Amino acid sequence: MNANRIDEARMSIRLTTALLCTLSLASCAASGAPRDTLYQVSVAHALFAKDYAGEVSLEELLRHGNVGIGASDRLHHAMIVLSGKVYQARQDGTIARPLPTETTPWAVVVRFRTDSQLSIDHPMTIDELEAKIDAGLDNFNIFYALRLETRIPSVTIRAVETAMTSNRGPMRIDEEPESWTHKDIKGALVGLRLPSYVGSMSGIGYHWHFISADREIGGHVVAAELDRGAVDIDHIRTWTVVLPEAEEFGSLSFEDREHLETVEQRPASMPRRSPR
């Protein structure tokens, strides 16, 4: 093979690789992210201290992880990152696919790798699942990313309703957001277990988002009943936090935790609405 043909072959390989990365941007980007590193955009409490606009693009977010949760710009939607793709749960519980140029004010992602697995072989609630996960952990002071894809007998999800201003300013999060219960549905639970010391940085304890297998519905998990499947668990010991560059971030107050606790808590009793 002469030199020209060798050069042409190399160029063809480079073009093919570039094309594949373009067609699967998320996979190519996340593959270069370090493992066992939780990448976080901003701090959770900032969302409730102000109407905080997104600054990190979703394209950039996916360079750091392929599984995670978060919120979209100005908290319009809950966000689920699964298999290197971003999904937004609208305020009516339906799913949208955002553009790579859209931004997030808060998100947590990881280049997911299963370090341990926990089987579900009998009926249990999401709270019982969390207790079972805790019983198998030997370190409560690191981070855990969680993923479960199976048929779910029942899941109740909610949307976070917000009252927003056109610019950065006070934001109210409704205390009784709308919720929907779906029965016998295939889908995925994506979650985090956060150590107690992170406080207003990310919330405390477990945080779950749900998305259906057909990618049509999803949201923040209020309650769930499970009876089969296996939870993949990624043990994470490195935490990277990217703080916003906007001047407004410097004037935020993090003393009032009321809104953060309202959104993160899972009430023992919450009004249930019929499935759509």
Side-chain angles (χ1 to χ4, degrees):
M1 183 179 291
N2 60 37
N4 289 336
R5 289 187 177 181
I6 292 175
D7 290 340
E8 289 175 359
R10 289 174 177 172
M11 179 62 72
S12 177
I13 292 172
R14 287 195 292 268
L15 290 174
T16 300
T17 303
L19 178 59
L20 289 174
C21 283
T22 300
L23 294 175
S24 185
L25 176 62
S27 298
C28 292
S31 64
R35 292 190 181 276
D36 296 326
T37 297
L38 203 67
Y39 176 84
Q40 178 173 323
V41 176
S42 190
V43 296
H45 199 87
L47 296 175
F48 314 109
K50 288 274 188 173
D51 174 11
Y52 211 69
E55 292 194 359
V56 174
S57 72
L58 301 183
E59 181 178 4
E60 175 62 23
L61 181 71
L62 291 176
R63 298 183 190 280
H64 301 275
N66 54 13
V67 170
I69 59 176
S72 63
D73 182 50
R74 298 188 184 278
L75 207 64
H76 280 249
H77 312 291
M79 195 167 70
I80 305 104
V81 180
L82 184 62
S83 300
K85 297 180 181 179
V86 179
Y87 303 91
Q88 291 176 340
R90 301 186 183 100
Q91 292 177 356
D92 64 356
T94 61
I95 292 293
R97 286 297 309 275
L99 296 173
T101 53
E102 293 185 38
T103 57
T104 175
W106 176 79
V108 184
V109 296
V110 65
R111 184 184 175 193
F112 197 94
R113 176 179 63 182
T114 301
D115 292 315
S116 64
Q117 196 173 69
L118 183 144
S119 297
I120 301 172
D121 52 13
H122 65 274
M124 64 179 66
T125 66
I126 191 77
D127 295 310
E128 291 170 337
L129 173 63
E130 292 172 0
K132 185 174 181 178
I133 294 172
D134 280 350
L137 299 180
D138 57 6
N139 188 339
F140 292 97
N141 292 322
I142 65 173
F143 297 81
Y144 296 93
L146 311 158
R147 182 182 61 195
L148 167 64
E149 298 187 54
T150 185
R151 184 191 67 83
I152 300 174
S154 177
V155 61
T156 299
I157 57 176
R158 72 182 179 195
V160 178
E161 297 285 350
T162 61
M164 294 167 287
T165 59
S166 58
N167 300 309
R168 297 177 190 268
M171 178 177 71
R172 187 190 78 249
I173 295 182
D174 292 353
E175 295 182 0
E176 295 185 2
E178 191 170 6
S179 65
W180 303 269
T181 297
H182 299 274
K183 301 287 187 179
D184 193 22
I185 184 171
K186 290 183 179 180
L189 292 174
V190 176
L192 298 170
R193 187 195 185 282
L194 305 164
S196 60
Y197 58 80
V198 301
S200 61
M201 291 289 289
S202 295
I204 296 172
Y206 288 89
H207 187 145
W208 299 91
H209 284 186
F210 169 80
I211 186 168
S212 60
D214 61 10
R215 307 303 189 242
E216 293 293 330
I217 60 173
H220 180 90
V221 174
V222 175
E225 297 173 5
L226 311 162
D227 65 2
R228 69 179 68 172
V231 182
D232 293 318
I233 306 174
D234 190 356
H235 303 199
I236 304 166
R237 290 176 170 78
T238 303
W239 184 27
T240 298
V241 180
V242 178
L243 296 178
E245 296 182 2
E247 293 181 3
E248 288 82 359
F249 181 77
S251 62
L252 297 183
S253 172
F254 297 100
E255 296 178 1
D256 180 12
R257 294 179 51 84
E258 178 183 356
H259 290 314
L260 181 63
E261 292 172 353
T262 297
V263 171
E264 291 304 323
Q265 68 184 351
R266 186 181 303 127
S269 176
M270 184 173 180
R272 300 290 185 256
R273 302 174 187 268
S274 299
R276 294 182 294 107

